[in-house]
PDB file of all heavy atoms in Angstrom:
ATOM      1  N   VAL A  38     -16.411  18.578   3.018  1.00 93.00           N
ATOM      2  CA  VAL A  38     -16.065  18.335   1.619  1.00 93.00           C
ATOM      3  C   VAL A  38     -16.995  17.340   0.938  1.00 93.00           C
ATOM      4  O   VAL A  38     -17.002  17.234  -0.291  1.00 93.00           O
ATOM      5  CB  VAL A  38     -14.603  17.844   1.472  1.00 93.00           C
ATOM      6  CG1 VAL A  38     -13.648  18.900   2.009  1.00 93.00           C
ATOM      7  CG2 VAL A  38     -14.374  16.513   2.153  1.00 93.00           C
ATOM      8  N   TYR A  39     -17.769  16.587   1.713  1.00 92.00           N
ATOM      9  CA  TYR A  39     -18.610  15.574   1.087  1.00 92.00           C
ATOM     10  C   TYR A  39     -19.737  15.190   2.025  1.00 92.00           C
ATOM     11  O   TYR A  39     -19.548  15.098   3.239  1.00 92.00           O
ATOM     12  CB  TYR A  39     -17.771  14.337   0.752  1.00 92.00           C
ATOM     13  CG  TYR A  39     -18.530  13.266   0.010  1.00 92.00           C
ATOM     14  CD1 TYR A  39     -18.999  13.475  -1.286  1.00 92.00           C
ATOM     15  CD2 TYR A  39     -18.775  12.029   0.606  1.00 92.00           C
ATOM     16  CE1 TYR A  39     -19.687  12.490  -1.967  1.00 92.00           C
ATOM     17  CE2 TYR A  39     -19.459  11.027  -0.071  1.00 92.00           C
ATOM     18  CZ  TYR A  39     -19.920  11.269  -1.361  1.00 92.00           C
ATOM     19  OH  TYR A  39     -20.594  10.287  -2.041  1.00 92.00           O
ATOM     20  N   GLU A  59     -18.303  14.436   5.663  1.00 90.00           N
ATOM     21  CA  GLU A  59     -16.848  14.324   5.702  1.00 90.00           C
ATOM     22  C   GLU A  59     -16.168  15.687   5.618  1.00 90.00           C
ATOM     23  O   GLU A  59     -16.564  16.540   4.819  1.00 90.00           O
ATOM     24  CB  GLU A  59     -16.353  13.482   4.512  1.00 90.00           C
ATOM     25  CG  GLU A  59     -16.882  12.071   4.531  1.00 90.00           C
ATOM     26  CD  GLU A  59     -16.330  11.233   3.390  1.00 90.00           C
ATOM     27  OE1 GLU A  59     -15.416  11.696   2.680  1.00 90.00           O
ATOM     28  OE2 GLU A  59     -16.830  10.109   3.209  1.00 90.00           O
ATOM     29  N   SER A  60     -15.143  15.841   6.444  1.00 87.00           N
ATOM     30  CA  SER A  60     -14.218  16.941   6.241  1.00 87.00           C
ATOM     31  C   SER A  60     -12.960  16.313   5.654  1.00 87.00           C
ATOM     32  O   SER A  60     -12.947  15.134   5.333  1.00 87.00           O
ATOM     33  CB  SER A  60     -13.922  17.641   7.570  1.00 87.00           C
ATOM     34  OG  SER A  60     -13.282  16.744   8.440  1.00 87.00           O
ATOM     35  N   VAL A  61     -11.882  17.090   5.506  1.00 83.00           N
ATOM     36  CA  VAL A  61     -10.705  16.528   4.856  1.00 83.00           C
ATOM     37  C   VAL A  61     -10.172  15.314   5.615  1.00 83.00           C
ATOM     38  O   VAL A  61      -9.780  14.316   5.038  1.00 83.00           O
ATOM     39  CB  VAL A  61      -9.602  17.603   4.710  1.00 83.00           C
ATOM     40  CG1 VAL A  61      -8.305  16.974   4.245  1.00 83.00           C
ATOM     41  CG2 VAL A  61     -10.041  18.651   3.698  1.00 83.00           C
ATOM     42  N   LYS A  62     -10.200  15.414   6.956  1.00 77.00           N
ATOM     43  CA  LYS A  62      -9.567  14.341   7.722  1.00 77.00           C
ATOM     44  C   LYS A  62     -10.491  13.650   8.711  1.00 77.00           C
ATOM     45  O   LYS A  62     -10.026  12.981   9.636  1.00 77.00           O
ATOM     46  CB  LYS A  62      -8.336  14.889   8.444  1.00 77.00           C
ATOM     47  CG  LYS A  62      -7.192  15.049   7.447  1.00 77.00           C
ATOM     48  CD  LYS A  62      -5.965  15.663   8.023  1.00 77.00           C
ATOM     49  CE  LYS A  62      -4.915  15.771   6.918  1.00 77.00           C
ATOM     50  NZ  LYS A  62      -4.055  16.905   7.009  1.00 77.00           N
ATOM     51  N   ALA A  63     -11.788  13.817   8.552  1.00 81.00           N
ATOM     52  CA  ALA A  63     -12.690  13.130   9.479  1.00 81.00           C
ATOM     53  C   ALA A  63     -13.995  12.773   8.791  1.00 81.00           C
ATOM     54  O   ALA A  63     -14.413  13.416   7.837  1.00 81.00           O
ATOM     55  CB  ALA A  63     -12.963  14.015  10.683  1.00 81.00           C
ATOM     56  N   VAL A  64     -14.596  11.707   9.289  1.00 85.00           N
ATOM     57  CA  VAL A  64     -15.908  11.289   8.822  1.00 85.00           C
ATOM     58  C   VAL A  64     -16.807  11.226  10.036  1.00 85.00           C
ATOM     59  O   VAL A  64     -16.431  10.654  11.057  1.00 85.00           O
ATOM     60  CB  VAL A  64     -15.869   9.875   8.215  1.00 85.00           C
ATOM     61  CG1 VAL A  64     -17.222   9.534   7.616  1.00 85.00           C
ATOM     62  CG2 VAL A  64     -14.789   9.764   7.181  1.00 85.00           C
ATOM     63  N   ASP A  66     -20.674  10.077  11.288  1.00 90.00           N
ATOM     64  CA  ASP A  66     -21.963   9.480  10.957  1.00 90.00           C
ATOM     65  C   ASP A  66     -23.065  10.446  11.369  1.00 90.00           C
ATOM     66  O   ASP A  66     -22.910  11.196  12.337  1.00 90.00           O
ATOM     67  CB  ASP A  66     -22.123   8.153  11.703  1.00 90.00           C
ATOM     68  CG  ASP A  66     -21.248   7.063  11.086  1.00 90.00           C
ATOM     69  OD1 ASP A  66     -21.000   7.140   9.872  1.00 90.00           O
ATOM     70  OD2 ASP A  66     -20.806   6.164  11.827  1.00 90.00           O
TER      71      ASP A  66
ATOM     72  N   TYR B  99       2.549  12.755   2.805  1.00 93.00           N
ATOM     73  CA  TYR B  99       1.519  13.401   3.616  1.00 93.00           C
ATOM     74  C   TYR B  99       1.779  14.898   3.787  1.00 93.00           C
ATOM     75  O   TYR B  99       0.861  15.691   3.884  1.00 93.00           O
ATOM     76  CB  TYR B  99       1.440  12.764   5.014  1.00 93.00           C
ATOM     77  CG  TYR B  99       0.851  11.383   5.027  1.00 93.00           C
ATOM     78  CD1 TYR B  99       1.560  10.312   5.546  1.00 93.00           C
ATOM     79  CD2 TYR B  99      -0.426  11.153   4.524  1.00 93.00           C
ATOM     80  CE1 TYR B  99       1.013   9.036   5.563  1.00 93.00           C
ATOM     81  CE2 TYR B  99      -0.974   9.886   4.539  1.00 93.00           C
ATOM     82  CZ  TYR B  99      -0.252   8.824   5.062  1.00 93.00           C
ATOM     83  OH  TYR B  99      -0.792   7.575   5.072  1.00 93.00           O
ATOM     84  N   ARG B 286     -15.274   7.619  -5.092  1.00 91.00           N
ATOM     85  CA  ARG B 286     -15.236   7.489  -3.641  1.00 91.00           C
ATOM     86  C   ARG B 286     -15.200   6.037  -3.179  1.00 91.00           C
ATOM     87  O   ARG B 286     -15.119   5.752  -2.000  1.00 91.00           O
ATOM     88  CB  ARG B 286     -16.420   8.216  -3.018  1.00 91.00           C
ATOM     89  CG  ARG B 286     -16.181   9.691  -3.078  1.00 91.00           C
ATOM     90  CD  ARG B 286     -17.252  10.538  -2.510  1.00 91.00           C
ATOM     91  NE  ARG B 286     -16.903  11.907  -2.789  1.00 91.00           N
ATOM     92  CZ  ARG B 286     -16.146  12.659  -2.006  1.00 91.00           C
ATOM     93  NH1 ARG B 286     -15.700  12.185  -0.859  1.00 91.00           N
ATOM     94  NH2 ARG B 286     -15.843  13.883  -2.343  1.00 91.00           N
ATOM     95  N   LEU B 309      -9.149  12.712  -0.680  1.00 89.00           N
ATOM     96  CA  LEU B 309     -10.213  11.753  -0.365  1.00 89.00           C
ATOM     97  C   LEU B 309      -9.716  10.707   0.633  1.00 89.00           C
ATOM     98  O   LEU B 309     -10.037   9.525   0.527  1.00 89.00           O
ATOM     99  CB  LEU B 309     -10.752  11.079  -1.639  1.00 89.00           C
ATOM    100  CG  LEU B 309     -11.281  12.034  -2.721  1.00 89.00           C
ATOM    101  CD1 LEU B 309     -11.948  11.235  -3.830  1.00 89.00           C
ATOM    102  CD2 LEU B 309     -12.250  13.054  -2.158  1.00 89.00           C
ATOM    103  N   ALA B 310      -8.935  11.167   1.589  1.00 84.00           N
ATOM    104  CA  ALA B 310      -8.342  10.255   2.573  1.00 84.00           C
ATOM    105  C   ALA B 310      -9.394   9.630   3.473  1.00 84.00           C
ATOM    106  O   ALA B 310      -9.134   8.622   4.125  1.00 84.00           O
ATOM    107  CB  ALA B 310      -7.326  11.007   3.430  1.00 84.00           C
ATOM    108  N   THR B 311     -10.582  10.206   3.489  1.00 79.00           N
ATOM    109  CA  THR B 311     -11.607   9.660   4.380  1.00 79.00           C
ATOM    110  C   THR B 311     -12.048   8.263   3.976  1.00 79.00           C
ATOM    111  O   THR B 311     -12.734   7.599   4.725  1.00 79.00           O
ATOM    112  CB  THR B 311     -12.835  10.586   4.410  1.00 79.00           C
ATOM    113  OG1 THR B 311     -13.157  10.945   3.074  1.00 79.00           O
ATOM    114  CG2 THR B 311     -12.555  11.834   5.203  1.00 79.00           C
ATOM    115  N   ARG B 312     -11.652   7.809   2.769  1.00 75.00           N
ATOM    116  CA  ARG B 312     -11.954   6.426   2.379  1.00 75.00           C
ATOM    117  C   ARG B 312     -11.056   5.460   3.128  1.00 75.00           C
ATOM    118  O   ARG B 312     -11.305   4.268   3.162  1.00 75.00           O
ATOM    119  CB  ARG B 312     -11.687   6.218   0.870  1.00 75.00           C
ATOM    120  CG  ARG B 312     -12.496   7.086  -0.056  1.00 75.00           C
ATOM    121  CD  ARG B 312     -11.877   7.097  -1.447  1.00 75.00           C
ATOM    122  NE  ARG B 312     -10.559   7.726  -1.406  1.00 75.00           N
ATOM    123  CZ  ARG B 312      -9.429   7.116  -1.675  1.00 75.00           C
ATOM    124  NH1 ARG B 312      -9.415   5.873  -2.062  1.00 75.00           N
ATOM    125  NH2 ARG B 312      -8.272   7.754  -1.569  1.00 75.00           N
ATOM    126  N   ILE B 316      -8.466   6.817   8.928  1.00 65.00           N
ATOM    127  CA  ILE B 316      -9.571   7.647   9.391  1.00 65.00           C
ATOM    128  C   ILE B 316     -10.804   6.795   9.672  1.00 65.00           C
ATOM    129  O   ILE B 316     -11.414   6.879  10.718  1.00 65.00           O
ATOM    130  CB  ILE B 316      -9.890   8.735   8.347  1.00 65.00           C
ATOM    131  CG1 ILE B 316      -8.720   9.724   8.320  1.00 65.00           C
ATOM    132  CG2 ILE B 316     -11.198   9.439   8.687  1.00 65.00           C
ATOM    133  CD1 ILE B 316      -8.792  10.763   7.261  1.00 65.00           C
ATOM    134  N   ARG B 317     -11.136   5.922   8.741  1.00 68.00           N
ATOM    135  CA  ARG B 317     -12.387   5.193   8.872  1.00 68.00           C
ATOM    136  C   ARG B 317     -12.236   3.888   9.654  1.00 68.00           C
ATOM    137  O   ARG B 317     -13.217   3.221   9.938  1.00 68.00           O
ATOM    138  CB  ARG B 317     -12.948   4.905   7.492  1.00 68.00           C
ATOM    139  CG  ARG B 317     -14.437   5.140   7.413  1.00 68.00           C
ATOM    140  CD  ARG B 317     -14.911   4.946   5.995  1.00 68.00           C
ATOM    141  NE  ARG B 317     -15.099   6.197   5.323  1.00 68.00           N
ATOM    142  CZ  ARG B 317     -16.305   6.734   5.111  1.00 68.00           C
ATOM    143  NH1 ARG B 317     -17.377   6.138   5.540  1.00 68.00           N
ATOM    144  NH2 ARG B 317     -16.408   7.872   4.483  1.00 68.00           N
ATOM    145  N   LYS B 320     -14.356   0.675   9.098  1.00 69.00           N
ATOM    146  CA  LYS B 320     -15.309   0.912   8.009  1.00 69.00           C
ATOM    147  C   LYS B 320     -14.608   1.347   6.724  1.00 69.00           C
ATOM    148  O   LYS B 320     -15.250   1.786   5.773  1.00 69.00           O
ATOM    149  CB  LYS B 320     -16.305   2.002   8.418  1.00 69.00           C
ATOM    150  CG  LYS B 320     -17.268   1.559   9.503  1.00 69.00           C
ATOM    151  CD  LYS B 320     -18.220   2.695   9.839  1.00 69.00           C
ATOM    152  CE  LYS B 320     -19.061   2.361  11.050  1.00 69.00           C
ATOM    153  NZ  LYS B 320     -19.603   3.596  11.629  1.00 69.00           N
TER     154      LYS B 320
END
Side-chain angles (χ1 to χ4, degrees):
Chain A
V38 299
Y39 184 66
E59 298 183 9
S60 63
V61 171
K62 283 176 180 146
V64 186
D66 286 331
Chain B
Y99 289 123
R286 286 180 186 272
L309 303 188
T311 46
R312 300 163 295 116
I316 291 174
R317 223 175 259 257
K320 290 180 188 160

